[in-house]
Amino acid sequence: MPGILTATLRPYLNAVRATLQAALCLENFSSQVVERHNKPEVEVRSSKELLLQPVIISRNDKEKVLIEGSINSVRVSIAVKQADEIEKILCHKFMRFMMMRAENFFILRRKPVENWDLLFSHHQLPHGADVQAQAGGLRHPLHGGDRQGDQRDEVVCQRQGPYRRRGVPQKCKSSCMSFFSPRSFKFYLTSMFLTSAVLRKFPNIPYADHDRHHGF
Amino acid sequence: MAKNTLSSRFRKLDIDEFDENKFVDDHDEAVDNQGPDGAEIDNLIRQGDMMTAFHIALRNPPVITKNPAIKERALAIVLRVLTSFKSSDIEPAVKSLDRSGVDLLMKYIYRGFEKPSDNSSAILLQWHEKAFAVGGLGSIVRVLTARKTV
């Protein structure tokens, strides 16, 4: 039995890696609906022409990865194997741990999609998006005290928005990619083995930080 | 005030519908391929002629039709063929396909992943590996961007 289990792990990871490589082909794309806004199209889903086909890669019926792409953003949802109660509890605790620290991850979404356990979201922002510097040295966490309505401020607001979808500044791009390098990705997938059902069982646990929903 | 300002009928109009740049998906309900023939495939599988079954299964994909029943039927047939292949036979089968055949195979593989059953995912992962080796990232991108899904 262990032989069969591990035999599918490597092809599974390779398949996920290849699909991610294809789906993570993003470019900056401002919103077509609201001027001076830059929204992650995979979250907004306003226009069919901007969305890619969602694709699932499954290892068995308990473990799969859903990849939804669009022109400027990608959502990766991971369903983790949760074999028994202890794994479910561990999964829940681990997910809570990660998602409450979603800000530091930059690309982790606070709330997973229905029936999935963990969700990563990456949004491609304009080139050179060191937004803090662009917006001229912010004092207020969202926008400078008296500056309103500029795209650069919107971009900052997007970064702190309720879904925690975040652009990765140019200099952090490499850290984002290494996030999906084989070793760390495998770590996440194997650590997911410990983390399973609670999100499945209690899908409505609010992970979002409610008191920070201002400005978006 | 002028009389024309009293009417609020204009509020029921969705101006975005009339935008000439609005994207409309092609809706070709024209006569489409009906998918491979189940009985023929069954015969070939029973005879053990996997290659022919494979090629026939990949003919006539129901890409244009919006009828889910036809697509499900075609998918079931193709998956049956794919899962009855032996691991060693997968590579020559993939090599025998042309470019569009490999793309179509990738589409079916990803559709097959959506409903994992028994051992189907393990076989599909092997198919994916071999098809990726032949088709490269381009075949995956063509699956993601396809308007006409199988």
Side-chain angles (χ1 to χ4, degrees):
Chain A
M1 203 47 173
I4 299 176
L5 280 179
T6 50
T8 51
L9 181 62
R10 187 114 311 255
Y12 175 55
L13 294 179
N14 287 335
V16 173
R17 184 164 199 223
T19 320
L20 270 181
Q21 221 170 340
L24 275 170
C25 194
L26 309 175
E27 64 180 40
N28 175 40
F29 193 84
S30 305
S31 167
Q32 295 178 300
V33 176
V34 185
E35 61 177 90
R36 308 240 251 167
H37 276 219
N38 200 314
K39 300 184 205 275
E41 296 298 334
V42 77
E43 299 280 357
V44 176
R45 315 214 92 141
S46 55
S47 186
K48 277 200 72 180
E49 60 194 331
L50 304 173
L51 301 174
L52 297 181
Q53 300 289 344
V55 137
I56 297 186
I57 302 109
S58 61
R59 186 183 177 191
N60 47 53
D61 60 336
K62 290 284 183 319
E63 291 180 69
K64 29 194 173 154
V65 173
L66 165 71
I67 299 176
E68 301 162 287
S70 69
I71 185 162
N72 63 357
S73 43
V74 162
R75 254 199 328 213
V76 180
S77 313
I78 304 178
V80 169
K81 183 161 88 87
Q82 298 156 23
D84 55 7
E85 284 301 321
I86 185 75
E87 283 193 10
K88 292 181 200 222
I89 296 172
L90 283 172
C91 177
H92 175 224
K93 295 214 174 289
F94 189 52
M95 296 305 163
R96 246 173 75 88
F97 177 85
M98 303 242 288
M99 296 211 210
M100 292 216 285
R101 288 153 184 80
E103 254 162 67
N104 297 326
F105 277 109
F106 284 100
I107 60 172
L108 189 61
R109 198 173 184 257
R110 283 201 180 244
K111 246 189 136 7
V113 177
E114 281 280 317
N115 298 326
W116 295 83
D117 297 326
L118 182 67
L119 190 119
F120 297 105
S121 179
H122 176 47
H123 177 197
Q124 177 66 42
L125 280 179
H127 189 84
D130 188 355
V131 180
Q132 298 275 353
Q134 267 191 350
L138 305 175
R139 286 181 306 256
H140 188 281
L142 276 187
H143 53 83
D146 51 359
R147 295 185 55 218
Q148 301 277 347
D150 190 81
Q151 177 165 16
R152 294 169 294 180
D153 292 329
E154 291 305 330
V155 163
V156 177
C157 294
Q158 312 277 318
R159 299 173 112 230
Q160 315 252 355
Y163 298 118
R164 290 301 188 275
R165 56 191 178 273
R166 286 170 147 254
V168 178
Q170 210 60 22
K171 60 186 187 318
C172 291
K173 264 251 198 85
S174 56
S175 64
C176 172
M177 288 307 122
S178 70
F179 198 70
F180 295 114
S181 76
R183 213 173 303 142
S184 51
F185 193 59
K186 189 175 172 187
F187 159 71
Y188 277 109
L189 285 184
T190 49
S191 60
M192 299 317 173
F193 278 116
L194 304 178
T195 58
S196 304
V198 184
L199 280 167
R200 204 75 64 83
K201 230 186 187 170
F202 311 111
N204 296 320
I205 290 178
Y207 292 101
D209 220 346
H210 288 293
D211 58 346
R212 297 204 52 192
H213 278 196
H214 43 239
F216 186 77
Chain B
M1 285 217 298
K3 212 151 184 216
N4 60 1
T5 54
L6 293 174
S7 161
S8 62
R9 244 183 18 216
F10 67 91
R11 296 192 189 279
K12 298 204 174 66
L13 212 53
D14 181 8
I15 194 80
D16 285 329
E17 292 292 314
F18 301 109
D19 183 14
E20 59 249 10
N21 294 331
K22 187 169 159 61
F23 174 74
V24 268
D25 232 341
D26 298 322
H27 274 290
D28 276 334
E29 285 293 345
V31 175
D32 181 32
N33 305 310
Q34 294 301 310
D37 185 6
E40 201 181 337
I41 305 264
D42 280 336
N43 276 335
L44 288 166
I45 296 184
R46 247 178 280 127
Q47 289 166 18
D49 188 356
M50 300 307 303
M51 278 298 251
T52 322
F54 179 59
H55 281 273
I56 296 184
L58 289 182
R59 254 192 267 146
N60 299 336
V63 282
I64 306 184
T65 178
K66 297 249 185 306
N67 184 347
I70 301 183
K71 296 199 188 235
E72 291 294 323
R73 202 178 62 90
L75 178 66
I77 295 174
V78 174
L79 282 184
R80 205 177 34 226
V81 175
L82 292 184
T83 47
S84 27
F85 257 74
K86 282 198 293 287
S87 311
S88 44
D89 295 336
I90 295 181
E91 191 159 353
V94 176
K95 290 243 164 66
S96 69
L97 287 177
D98 61 343
R99 168 76 61 82
S100 52
V102 174
D103 290 345
L104 185 58
L105 174 64
M106 267 301 198
K107 283 189 192 169
Y108 275 120
I109 292 175
Y110 279 113
R111 283 298 310 266
F113 275 134
E114 283 167 26
K115 295 195 192 69
S117 67
D118 301 346
N119 235 0
S120 70
S121 292
I123 303 273
L124 284 174
L125 283 171
Q126 292 185 18
W127 275 101
H128 186 281
E129 192 180 337
K130 297 289 185 291
F132 177 59
V134 174
L137 279 176
S139 59
I140 303 187
V141 174
R142 280 186 282 273
V143 172
L144 292 173
T145 54
R147 280 278 148 230
K148 304 189 174 117
T149 56
V150 80

